[in-house]
Amino acid sequence: MHILFKYNGQLLTEDIVEAVEKDIFTVGLYRPMKRIPLSVKEKWKSTCTGEFAEEALTPQEAKAVYDNNDPQKWDDIKGHKEAGFAKGWPSRFDTQYKLMKILGFVKYEMDKPICFSEVGEYLAKSIEIDVTDDGMIDRHASATPQYEQMAFMQALAKYQRCNPFVRELNDNIPLILLLQVIEKLNANPKYGNCGISYKELPLVIFWKDNDAEALYQRIVRLRKEHGYTPSDEVVADICTKEILDGFKRFKLKSIASEYPDEFVRKMRMTGLVSFRGAGRFIDVNHVEDEKVAYILNTYSCYEKYENEDSFFDYMSKIDPILFSKEAKPISKTVAGEKLNYWRTIYGWDKIKGELSNLEQKNASKDAVLKFMAAPARLEFLTALAIKSALPNVAVIPNYSCDDEGLPTSTAGGNKADIECYESHNGVIVEVTMAEGRQQTMMEVWPITRHLQEFTQTNKINSQCVFVAPSIYSDSKRQINYAKDAEGVTIRPYSIREFVNYLSSSTALYFNMTNSLADYPKILQFVVEYLEMVGVSTIHKLSMECILKFGEQYPEWNIRDWYNLLLPYVQNQTKRYNLSYKQEFEYGMVAVEKQR
């Protein structure tokens, strides 16, 4: 949508279709696979399908992809065609953007102007994408990332399944039906005010009309007969045989998991629903109670529309009252306190496993985490990991969250992702899924600014921990430059390195004036090593420690290890003028202890 917005007001011609498609290829969001040049494969291989590439395609590369992947040449024998659009790329364009038209975001027809609605502009402006002079893709959240949630909240509050664009037999507004049924279930004291079970969602999805009372009664009967965990087969029979009267056959997996997962993702995009019971139930997000009440009062009774133009006009009109209603936000302190609940749900091994999934670009299968976009999931899991490993650290995430403390979006661009307070010290934690040159361009200087502002505001000793799937070499160099030029301490870690650090450290704030006793695993290794070799130097001992613990403490250089180990050895050997290269005999320690 951000890309299409560049052409707002222009006539939609085949030339414009070509330009839009090439722009989408250029940033890597859509990646056809027929006869792709090697140079394009190289630029696309560092990120996954569906994500932005790091490096933009050249105009020549984008043209080659376009020419070699004309859908008319390789779809099927008949060729795929959308109504009002020629076969080939024009029909592919309509397939890509049709949902945006149905939701009232953008109106288009061939040879007519592309027309974004006001709410569509909100969505298009929720992200910023630029190609730099050296061909790198710079994409980041805009100053108003909440526009995305606002746009989808209004669209789904109005969206009718039986509309002129998609004339389904089911006739309801899915979001309205869901909210009404949840309210009815929560009003029943038997059910503990926790919303609707994930296992019951297929009934909402398949329900034919907007009779929420009848749907509520059917769920009540289902609970009486099967509790909260009916089998997939029982639910499928209700949906296909009872609700649809055997009208059509569906795969069991689609009914039981694929449709509910897609449904929950869409509902979560509105910001109006939360999880309960670690994902077993879907409930109203009470942060947004005022908006939920307004939506139910305003949109439960709806007018039917006979043609596409009138329905689009209805969908596209912005609701100023809904947009003006403010959420009752979770305070930063409460958001931090919610982490204590989630660390009882996710143990340390689970947290490590999910962070490893992010590092390796693997999808999560967790009932809650799989619905979080990767950047928000990394912020949440990083905050949770710190709180789990170091419970005495005050961890305050800055992401927007629902009433369960789960992020609904990442932290805004004008503040640190996570703030941590430990004794008289402060640590901001910045995380990113970006790698390579994108990481260097997007992250380091904003991090420096956030750290300086954090230090000035709180008047405390401050550092920054920077976490990413991997740390790019240019990022390290820029971080070292920032240390020298700005006098800030930024500690870069890969996800794996940071997990290892938390596993073995007693403090988040790293202070080289700390005693070796503050690092019990290192101390144990030093004692065992010295008892084995008997004679060593500070330099040799430091190198052995780097081999053993370097991945856990990647920000420590050889001088840091000297400074940590030297006081301990000097104290143990009573050789207070000992230099880094001088040999010492550890056996002297035993003699001193006996005396």
Side-chain angles (χ1 to χ4, degrees):
M1 288 293 282
H2 176 86
I3 289 170
L4 184 62
F5 188 64
K6 290 165 51 179
Y7 303 93
N8 189 32
Q10 298 186 38
L11 293 181
L12 181 59
T13 63
E14 292 201 10
D15 287 343
I16 294 295
V17 167
E18 179 176 349
V20 172
E21 296 297 335
K22 287 178 179 178
D23 284 350
I24 300 175
F25 305 155
T26 295
V27 298
L29 286 180
Y30 176 41
R31 305 180 184 188
M33 299 307 296
K34 302 289 185 180
R35 296 168 59 195
I36 300 299
L38 288 176
S39 61
V40 174
K41 290 181 180 179
E42 282 296 312
K43 290 179 178 180
W44 284 352
K45 73 178 184 180
S46 63
T47 59
C48 299
T49 300
E51 298 178 359
F52 288 95
E54 291 186 356
E55 189 173 355
L57 301 190
T58 65
Q60 294 77 17
E61 289 169 335
K63 186 177 189 315
V65 174
Y66 185 84
D67 291 342
N68 294 343
N69 287 270
D70 187 343
Q72 188 173 358
K73 296 177 181 177
W74 49 262
D75 262 357
D76 51 36
I77 295 174
K78 295 180 180 179
H80 177 74
K81 185 180 184 307
E82 296 288 341
F85 291 82
K87 292 180 182 180
W89 283 116
S91 284
R92 177 57 50 85
F93 171 91
D94 187 47
T95 301
Q96 292 167 335
Y97 283 101
K98 181 174 287 184
L99 180 60
M100 300 297 99
K101 183 192 289 187
I102 296 172
L103 294 179
F105 296 147
V106 61
K107 188 175 184 179
Y108 59 85
E109 293 180 51
M110 291 302 296
D111 301 316
K112 292 187 178 180
I114 298 169
C115 183
F116 270 68
S117 65
E118 187 176 0
V119 69
E121 288 191 31
Y122 273 94
L123 183 60
K125 293 177 180 179
S126 66
I127 191 171
E128 294 178 358
I129 310 168
D130 297 297
V131 177
T132 62
D133 292 339
D134 61 351
M136 301 305 295
I137 299 168
D138 180 9
R139 86 287 187 274
H140 50 276
S142 72
T144 51
Q146 69 274 19
Y147 281 177
E148 179 183 11
Q149 182 174 302
M150 294 166 66
F152 280 104
M153 177 181 61
Q154 171 173 302
L156 292 176
K158 294 181 176 184
Y159 173 70
Q160 303 166 14
R161 295 183 67 179
C162 183
N163 65 73
F165 291 99
V166 185
R167 296 186 181 275
E168 293 188 29
L169 295 178
N170 303 64
D171 187 4
N172 54 52
I173 298 177
L175 175 62
I176 299 290
L177 185 64
L178 174 70
L179 295 175
Q180 288 177 329
V181 168
I182 288 175
E183 283 200 341
K184 291 177 181 293
L185 289 168
N186 285 348
N188 190 328
K190 293 181 181 178
Y191 299 137
N193 199 37
C194 61
I196 187 170
S197 165
Y198 176 89
K199 301 278 283 186
E200 296 158 353
L201 287 178
L203 275 68
V204 180
I205 296 167
F206 278 78
W207 203 248
K208 290 193 291 187
D209 55 35
N210 61 359
D211 190 343
E213 176 63 25
L215 175 56
Y216 161 72
Q217 293 297 340
R218 186 61 186 90
I219 292 173
V220 168
R221 181 151 60 95
L222 178 63
R223 290 185 177 184
K224 286 181 180 178
E225 295 170 352
H226 300 279
Y228 293 105
T229 56
S231 70
D232 294 344
E233 289 79 5
V234 165
V235 173
D237 281 350
I238 294 172
C239 293
T240 58
K241 296 178 181 179
E242 180 181 325
I243 298 175
L244 294 186
D245 299 320
F247 172 74
K248 184 179 178 181
R249 298 187 65 178
F250 295 85
K251 293 180 180 179
L252 182 62
K253 183 180 179 181
S254 296
I255 296 173
S257 61
E258 292 174 347
Y259 295 163
D261 278 1
E262 181 66 17
F263 185 75
V264 171
R265 284 190 182 92
K266 286 186 170 70
M267 298 303 107
R268 284 283 292 176
M269 289 171 77
T270 69
L272 301 179
V273 299
S274 292
F275 293 107
R276 304 281 184 252
R280 294 189 299 276
F281 293 87
I282 312 299
D283 194 13
V284 171
N285 174 16
H286 295 302
V287 169
E288 301 286 11
D289 277 344
E290 188 176 345
K291 291 178 185 174
V292 169
Y294 175 80
I295 287 171
L296 291 178
N297 288 333
T298 306
Y299 296 108
S300 294
C301 297
Y302 53 91
E303 179 183 348
K304 299 287 188 64
Y305 295 89
E306 295 301 322
N307 61 72
E308 294 180 358
D309 287 342
S310 60
F311 184 69
F312 180 85
D313 289 344
Y314 165 69
M315 291 294 295
S316 65
K317 286 179 181 175
I318 206 161
D319 184 334
I321 298 176
L322 181 58
F323 270 49
S324 67
K325 289 188 176 296
E326 295 288 335
K328 184 177 71 176
I330 295 288
S331 71
K332 290 169 60 175
T333 304
V334 172
E337 291 171 354
K338 292 287 185 180
L339 293 172
N340 286 317
Y341 164 73
W342 286 105
R343 70 190 181 102
T344 66
I345 301 298
Y346 299 131
W348 179 243
D349 287 342
K350 172 71 171 178
I351 295 169
K352 287 195 298 182
E354 291 293 342
L355 283 168
S356 178
N357 282 336
L358 283 167
E359 182 176 27
Q360 299 174 38
K361 307 295 194 303
N362 293 332
S364 174
K365 296 181 180 179
D366 182 80
V368 171
L369 300 176
K370 67 182 179 182
F371 295 109
M372 292 184 199
R377 197 186 330 154
L378 180 57
E379 288 188 19
F380 173 68
L381 287 170
T382 301
L384 190 58
I386 296 169
K387 193 63 183 177
S388 297
L390 303 169
N392 292 327
V393 175
V395 182
I396 300 177
N398 281 321
Y399 48 69
S400 299
C401 62
D402 61 21
D403 58 4
E404 287 284 282
L406 296 171
T408 55
S409 67
T410 56
N414 58 348
K415 54 190 173 184
D417 294 335
I418 305 164
E419 299 173 13
C420 298
Y421 300 89
E422 184 177 41
S423 186
H424 301 295
N425 301 314
V427 178
I428 65 169
V429 182
E430 301 278 9
V431 306
T432 181
M433 289 299 296
E435 297 182 89
R437 293 173 64 185
Q438 272 186 353
Q439 182 185 94
T440 308
M441 292 188 302
M442 293 165 53
E443 302 294 342
V444 177
W445 291 120
I447 286 173
T448 302
R449 185 179 70 253
H450 293 164
L451 180 55
Q452 290 170 332
E453 291 171 352
F454 178 80
T455 303
Q456 292 168 3
T457 301
N458 293 281
K459 309 298 183 186
I460 55 176
N461 297 323
S462 303
Q463 297 175 347
C464 173
V465 166
F466 176 50
V467 182
S470 64
I471 304 298
Y472 187 50
S473 57
D474 284 358
S475 298
K476 292 180 181 179
R477 283 191 285 270
Q478 197 171 33
I479 285 170
N480 289 333
Y481 177 80
K483 288 179 181 179
D484 294 336
E486 303 292 338
V488 295
T489 300
I490 301 174
R491 298 156 46 196
Y493 296 88
S494 70
I495 289 175
R496 176 169 50 84
E497 289 169 344
F498 189 58
V499 168
N500 288 338
Y501 175 86
L502 292 176
S503 297
S504 60
S505 298
T506 58
L508 183 63
Y509 187 90
F510 175 64
N511 187 347
M512 283 312 302
T513 62
N514 287 356
S515 165
L516 185 59
D518 294 323
Y519 304 93
K521 289 187 178 180
I522 300 178
L523 176 59
Q524 180 182 355
F525 172 78
V526 167
V527 171
E528 291 175 354
Y529 172 77
L530 292 177
E531 287 178 347
M532 179 181 68
V533 299
V535 176
S536 187
T537 68
I538 296 298
H539 178 74
K540 290 179 181 178
L541 179 58
S542 297
M543 296 306 295
E544 291 294 331
C545 287
I546 290 172
L547 287 174
K548 179 70 174 178
F549 298 102
E551 286 191 356
Q552 296 178 33
Y553 303 95
E555 76 282 9
W556 296 6
N557 59 33
I558 188 69
R559 179 67 61 182
D560 294 327
W561 283 101
Y562 287 171
N563 291 340
L564 182 66
L565 297 170
L566 182 61
Y568 170 77
V569 173
Q570 287 176 332
N571 184 60
Q572 293 295 310
T573 62
K574 307 304 181 187
R575 295 179 60 182
Y576 297 107
N577 294 323
L578 188 69
S579 69
Y580 304 121
K581 297 290 185 178
Q582 283 183 301
E583 287 190 342
F584 61 86
E585 186 176 353
Y586 192 66
M588 295 176 61
V589 178
V591 174
E592 290 296 327
K593 286 182 177 177
Q594 289 174 3
R595 290 179 180 175

